[in-house]
Amino acid sequence: MPRAGLARLPLAAAICLAIAAPALAQDAGQAATSTTAPAAKTKPKTTTLSAVTVTAQKRTENLQKVPISINVLENDQLDALHVQNFNDYVKYLPSVTFQQGGGGIATGPGFATIYMRGVASGGNTNHSGSQPSVGVYLDDQPVTTIQGPLDIHMYDIARIEVLAGPQGSLYGASAEAGALRIITNKPDPGRFAASYQLGVDKVAHGGVGYTGDGMLNIPLSNSAAVRIVGWREHDAGYIDNKAGTRTFPVSGITISNADDCTPGPMLECHGHARNHYNDANTQGARAALKVDLDDNWSISPTIMGQQTISHGTFASDPAVGDLAVTHFYPERVDDRWWQGALTVQGKIGNFDLTYAYAHLKRDQEEATDYNDYSFWYDTLLSYGAYITDNAGALINPSEFINDRDHYRNDSHELRIVSPADDRLRLVAGVFWQKQKHDIMQDYQIANLATSLSVSGWPNTLWLTRQMRYDYDKAVFGELSYDIIPDTLTATVGGRYFRSENRLYGFYGFSKGFSPNSSYGEAGCISNQPFLGAPCLDFNKQVKQSGSLGKFNLTWNISPTAMVYATRSEGYRPGGVNRAGALPPYQADYLTNLELGWKTSWFGNRLSFNGAVFREKWNDFQFNILGPNGLTIIKNANSARIDGLESQLVWQATYNLNLSAGVAFYDAKLTANYCGFTGADGNPVTYCPAGSINPSNGSVVTGPQAPKGTQLPITPRFKGNLVARYSFDMGENEGYVQAALVHVGRRTSDLRLEERSLLGDLPAYNSVDLSAGFQKGSWSLDAYVDNAFDERAVLYKFTECGVTICGAHGVVPQYPNGQVYTGVSQPRTFGIRFKQDF
């Protein structure tokens, strides 16, 4: 297996030289200048809230003047909440939910499917499935891949901007429901700075973890600087792979994962049982250069890379025990990526011109236990009767997967922005993106007969060898006009797009195992090998074009109060179904009607922002696991999401700060989901019991999800409350902080039968506590995350189709089926030391 190029990063040097104080730097990808705040021995005491700067609308603006529903986590907040990765910050974003796992997809870092504002159908996430409905950006560049965005280590980050609702005009495809932007601190030619931090933590029921981070900001001249960041993190495991056995009913063969197992005629040993199974090691670095060519032009190249190696699974099997599974084959993910980016900024007259380019290369290699699939299909469908060796004897039918995904993403954006103080203002640009996904999934069974193995792939029962391309081209713009200067502003925006999805390659069984199949070796459409696979058995593509619109009216009632009304649109491209004669799935569209407000009170000691909205989601894409665990994408009619989002921040006194965020959602179907489409690929809404499914002639038992069904994954209410109290300790400063997160009950699947098999996701509360001490340039913090050791259920899934692996009452060991539960990390106690120079 090839080693990652990030195996030896300059972390030790960065930590030894140390790193600069956290800074609220502006985004150099969109702002003309960027500064790093000088290190201060103590923070200034103030009873007013500081201004928050964002670049959500492609220009630098005060958050309180931007007519969009935006959540912002600034550098100081990320630091105070001990945020290190995606799971740490997402819980403080009321508009965001996520899920992981299922169908052989890993559950560790980098495999989250992100949703916003209840725009969630659930279903399976797969390499040949839908594009995400939420776009994730690193500075100006997209970092979203099909099976999940990059899980970027959160150090030396200026802020996270969460843009809720469709962002079609400025961000386009895959920002249908919103966009999440991670903005890094930029090089500062004005001063040398350095800082480092070291931390250690202990997970209840698990192991010990540690983190080391370092940063250098080095001026090269009055007009140039370089910023170097490095990190290494070990996340302790807390899921135990307990010793156990499993017997296959057809062959009678028993397998064991115990280290002290003694093999016998009907017993196979696979010694993988161990405690704290799901640890992860992350290391990475970022180097950024900024050169001011003159007073108007600058160039900013950046390179950033990270490698995460995780083991085990991050979900537990309740039938085995609390925080436990019994798995028999290796489980490992090596996720490594690097991104090179270039931003060029300048002026043409008094217009700002920005060119942003990025090349992302991401390689994932996985080993996955797929034994559940074999066991349940053997139990319910006598699967093992077909699995033999070359002598014709029945063998252990357990499957395990070795797979890899190679992603390549190139994006270009060129935009022009008029002066912010003009009465008529313009943002306009062009965008081009090409995503390439090279896919290999090798489903193996040890000692499988040659005739049952895919040709040229010994012991391979099923092979997926595919290439996927997604293209996106667009012209976009927004035009704003102050109808009444400083009071009433109207904005119109739009985007014209052209997209293409192409998927081709090989997937399926050998001809000996499935001689009459329409795919696999029996379904070859050419006799030429395809990237090592026996042949090409499908080649499909779909193209589309269209336009999106936006209209906004903003009323600045006073310098501290603003209300706005918006109609905006977002979309997600359609694509092809690789399976048989299934028609392509169509693009889905989200239309948003929103009324929002942004206000400041009591001399800017309190801010109160919010929005109420109604979103209509038409012909939304729904990914399901079909026969043989094959992903199928269908359009599922329409849904409506009514909601309210609000954030409040109060500087009660100079040493007491309170913040709260809430989101209420009523997300439900507005038409039946029948589970099938018409011959044209459009969804069918009329499917009473006894009617006929036109796609296969079967008798319909009624809609799989009737009108009014709640959309899955998203709670009706999610909220958080953070209180921080600072106090003097002589010439030094201390603090205590408490954070409460509440997430309401969620459903696990759109379809009622599958929902009943999986079960709901219960409501939960989580409390994080911390306290610290600062003396001059160094600080020491102690924290307890998940202080009451809550088993917060985040998601549920099965390894194969829910109606198979989730079947009730079939296996005594699994009376409720084999349903995995992803839970929050148990109570974690940690300490952290930081020093700035």
Side-chain angles (χ1 to χ4, degrees):
M1 191 176 292
R3 301 294 297 172
L6 296 173
R8 296 290 183 267
L9 292 169
L11 175 63
I15 291 181
C16 290
L17 292 172
I19 22 187
L24 293 175
Q26 293 182 347
D27 177 14
Q30 304 190 22
T33 61
S34 173
T35 60
T36 303
K41 292 187 177 181
T42 59
K43 294 180 180 180
K45 298 177 180 179
T46 177
T47 57
T48 61
L49 299 173
S50 59
V52 179
T53 298
V54 297
T55 51
Q57 295 192 124
K58 308 289 187 178
R59 64 167 80 236
T60 303
E61 298 172 290
N62 186 320
L63 172 65
Q64 292 300 101
K65 298 298 182 180
V66 181
I68 300 177
S69 180
I70 308 179
N71 262 149
V72 178
L73 294 176
E74 296 184 277
N75 180 283
D76 285 348
Q77 294 170 291
L78 296 170
D79 185 61
L81 295 169
H82 303 98
V83 169
Q84 293 187 145
N85 53 42
F86 172 79
N87 285 353
D88 291 338
Y89 66 75
V90 72
K91 63 184 178 182
Y92 294 106
L93 303 175
S95 63
V96 181
T97 55
F98 73 100
Q99 70 174 23
Q100 292 178 312
I105 303 300
T107 58
F111 288 91
T113 301
I114 304 175
Y115 306 108
M116 279 192 190
R117 278 193 171 179
V119 182
S121 61
N124 172 253
T125 300
N126 185 273
H127 50 73
S128 54
S130 301
Q131 291 195 39
S133 63
V134 173
V136 179
Y137 295 80
L138 177 61
D139 293 320
D140 248 357
Q141 293 79 21
V143 291
T144 307
T145 58
I146 297 299
Q147 294 180 169
L150 306 181
D151 193 345
I152 298 169
H153 182 78
M154 303 304 292
Y155 182 72
D156 196 47
I157 300 298
R159 64 188 180 275
I160 298 174
E161 298 178 5
V162 181
L163 288 59
Q167 307 298 322
S169 60
L170 293 183
Y171 293 92
S174 290
E176 176 184 40
L180 192 155
R181 306 179 68 238
I182 300 169
I183 311 300
T184 60
N185 284 321
K186 303 303 186 295
D188 177 14
R191 60 182 293 273
F192 171 84
S195 69
Y196 71 93
Q197 70 176 20
L198 301 170
V200 63
D201 59 75
K202 174 65 174 70
V203 182
H205 322 287
V208 176
Y210 62 83
T211 304
D213 306 288
M215 182 276 290
L216 286 170
N217 185 87
I218 305 172
L220 303 177
S221 68
N222 291 334
S223 59
V226 64
R227 194 178 191 98
I228 303 171
V229 185
W231 57 89
R232 183 177 177 86
E233 176 183 355
H234 171 69
D235 294 321
Y238 51 87
I239 302 290
D240 294 339
N241 189 18
K242 292 189 174 182
T245 62
R246 169 170 273 174
T247 300
F248 291 89
V250 170
S251 64
I253 293 173
T254 298
I255 59 175
S256 170
N257 69 347
D259 289 328
D260 58 355
C261 170
T262 301
M266 299 294 286
L267 178 64
E268 293 187 8
C269 301
H270 305 270
H272 294 286
R274 68 178 178 89
N275 291 335
H276 314 160
Y277 190 44
N278 62 321
D279 61 354
N281 294 289
T282 298
Q283 55 187 349
R286 183 176 81 243
L289 173 68
K290 184 174 188 292
V291 179
D292 294 325
L293 302 176
D294 56 27
D295 291 340
N296 293 325
W297 288 87
S298 68
I299 182 170
S300 303
T302 301
I303 187 167
M304 181 175 181
Q306 181 175 288
Q307 180 185 31
T308 299
I309 298 177
S310 59
H311 302 95
T313 178
F314 287 72
S316 64
D317 184 345
V320 177
D322 180 38
L323 303 175
V325 296
T326 296
H327 284 183
F328 301 90
Y329 292 89
E331 294 178 289
R332 181 181 186 270
V333 176
D334 184 350
D335 183 3
R336 54 193 185 274
W337 58 267
W338 66 267
Q339 184 194 61
L342 174 66
T343 301
V344 180
Q345 293 178 286
K347 283 186 175 293
I348 299 179
N350 61 352
F351 280 66
D352 293 324
L353 183 72
T354 301
Y355 168 70
Y357 164 76
H359 173 76
L360 172 66
K361 179 181 179 182
R362 184 183 192 184
D363 296 313
Q364 295 174 316
E365 295 176 357
E366 303 169 50
T368 306
D369 185 317
Y370 208 47
N371 177 268
D372 295 350
Y373 178 97
S374 303
F375 173 76
W376 284 90
Y377 271 77
D378 191 45
T379 300
L380 298 180
L381 303 174
S382 299
Y383 163 85
Y386 310 101
I387 309 301
T388 64
D389 59 17
N390 281 329
L394 295 179
I395 59 174
N396 170 17
S398 296
E399 291 186 41
F400 52 94
I401 309 172
N402 289 319
D403 65 271
R404 59 157 181 76
D405 295 276
H406 294 331
Y407 298 95
R408 304 293 183 269
N409 189 334
D410 288 281
S411 64
H412 304 261
E413 182 170 300
L414 179 66
R415 64 177 180 271
I416 191 167
V417 179
S418 66
D421 54 359
D422 285 357
R423 187 171 183 179
L424 180 67
R425 297 178 297 279
L426 172 71
V427 175
V430 293
F431 177 80
W432 180 90
Q433 180 177 236
K434 174 185 176 181
Q435 300 182 72
K436 175 185 176 182
H437 186 184
D438 184 345
I439 306 158
M440 191 282 290
Q441 290 190 323
D442 184 1
Y443 292 70
Q444 298 184 34
I445 296 176
N447 302 313
L448 184 66
T450 303
S451 63
L452 303 179
S453 302
V454 175
S455 297
W457 295 73
N459 300 320
T460 296
L461 179 71
W462 174 288
L463 176 67
T464 298
R465 190 69 184 92
Q466 298 173 178
M467 294 292 293
R468 174 173 179 161
Y469 289 92
D470 291 278
Y471 298 91
D472 183 20
K473 302 175 184 178
V475 178
F476 64 89
E478 288 191 359
L479 187 67
S480 299
Y481 180 70
D482 295 334
I483 300 172
I484 302 175
D486 300 321
T487 302
L488 188 64
T489 301
T491 299
V492 293
R495 190 180 191 97
Y496 174 78
F497 63 85
R498 297 179 64 183
S499 64
E500 178 182 348
N501 170 245
R502 185 184 181 195
L503 185 66
Y504 60 98
F506 176 91
Y507 71 100
F509 301 106
S510 70
K511 194 169 185 178
F513 186 83
S514 185
N516 299 314
S517 176
S518 61
Y519 52 86
E521 289 191 61
C524 287
I525 60 176
S526 76
N527 295 322
Q528 298 298 318
F530 174 76
L531 299 178
C535 66
L536 192 74
D537 65 1
F538 79 107
N539 186 351
K540 298 181 178 182
Q541 67 177 348
V542 62
K543 298 180 180 180
Q544 66 184 84
S545 62
S547 61
L548 304 168
K550 175 182 176 180
F551 177 77
N552 171 271
L553 190 65
T554 301
W555 178 25
N556 290 290
I557 302 172
S558 72
T560 59
M562 174 253 281
V563 294
Y564 66 88
T566 297
R567 183 189 186 277
S568 57
E569 295 176 327
Y571 92 108
R572 178 169 49 168
V576 299
N577 274 297
R578 57 178 174 168
L582 287 178
Y585 55 94
Q586 307 299 315
D588 55 15
Y589 292 85
L590 186 71
T591 301
N592 173 54
L593 299 175
E594 180 173 328
L595 180 65
W597 66 91
K598 294 193 173 180
T599 61
S600 300
W601 303 82
F602 312 124
N604 199 34
R605 291 176 56 186
L606 182 147
S607 68
F608 176 49
N609 303 337
V612 293
F613 61 87
R614 166 167 286 187
E615 294 183 336
K616 294 183 178 180
W617 193 15
N618 293 322
D619 297 334
F620 65 87
Q621 297 164 17
F622 186 36
N623 295 243
I624 64 171
L625 284 179
N628 295 317
L630 192 66
T631 298
I632 296 172
I633 308 96
K634 299 181 179 181
N635 291 89
N637 290 308
S638 59
R640 185 181 67 215
I641 303 100
D642 294 328
L644 179 149
E645 299 164 344
S646 184
Q647 306 88 40
L648 183 147
V649 182
W650 181 28
Q651 190 69 44
T653 65
Y654 79 86
N655 53 1
L656 176 61
N657 181 274
L658 302 172
S659 63
V662 297
F664 298 87
Y665 300 115
D666 181 19
K668 57 189 178 184
L669 292 179
T670 53
N672 292 334
Y673 170 60
C674 293
F676 55 87
T677 59
D680 56 0
N682 291 319
V684 174
T685 59
Y686 182 73
C687 49
S691 60
I692 302 299
N693 181 343
S695 63
N696 58 20
S698 62
V699 178
V700 176
T701 59
Q704 295 185 17
K707 178 181 177 180
T709 299
Q710 181 180 347
L711 297 184
I713 311 302
T714 301
R716 292 184 180 275
F717 172 74
K718 180 180 179 182
N720 64 75
L721 175 65
V722 181
R724 183 180 179 92
Y725 183 78
S726 303
F727 52 90
D728 294 331
M729 301 178 66
E731 296 182 353
N732 306 308
E733 183 179 295
Y735 81 90
V736 292
Q737 178 176 283
L740 167 68
V741 174
H742 173 82
V743 177
R745 183 189 67 85
R746 294 135 292 149
T747 60
S748 55
D749 199 284
L750 178 68
R751 300 159 294 177
L752 299 189
E753 181 181 4
E754 283 75 6
R755 179 183 298 183
S756 68
L757 296 173
L758 289 171
D760 286 344
L761 311 179
Y764 66 86
N765 298 301
S766 180
V767 175
D768 298 340
L769 305 173
S770 59
F773 173 80
Q774 180 177 340
K775 180 179 175 65
S777 64
W778 63 265
S779 63
L780 182 68
D781 301 87
Y783 60 91
V784 182
D785 288 342
N786 192 7
F788 298 103
D789 203 21
E790 178 86 5
R791 294 292 180 272
V793 177
L794 305 177
Y795 50 88
K796 291 184 177 183
F797 66 91
T798 60
E799 277 292 356
C800 57
V802 176
T803 54
I804 299 291
C805 283
H808 291 179
V810 176
V811 181
Q813 182 184 355
Y814 301 100
N816 298 314
Q818 192 169 9
V819 177
Y820 289 90
T821 302
V823 297
S824 60
Q825 183 166 303
R827 180 173 53 241
T828 302
F829 171 77
I831 56 175
R832 182 183 64 182
F833 177 82
K834 296 179 57 183
Q835 189 170 14
D836 303 326
F837 297 90

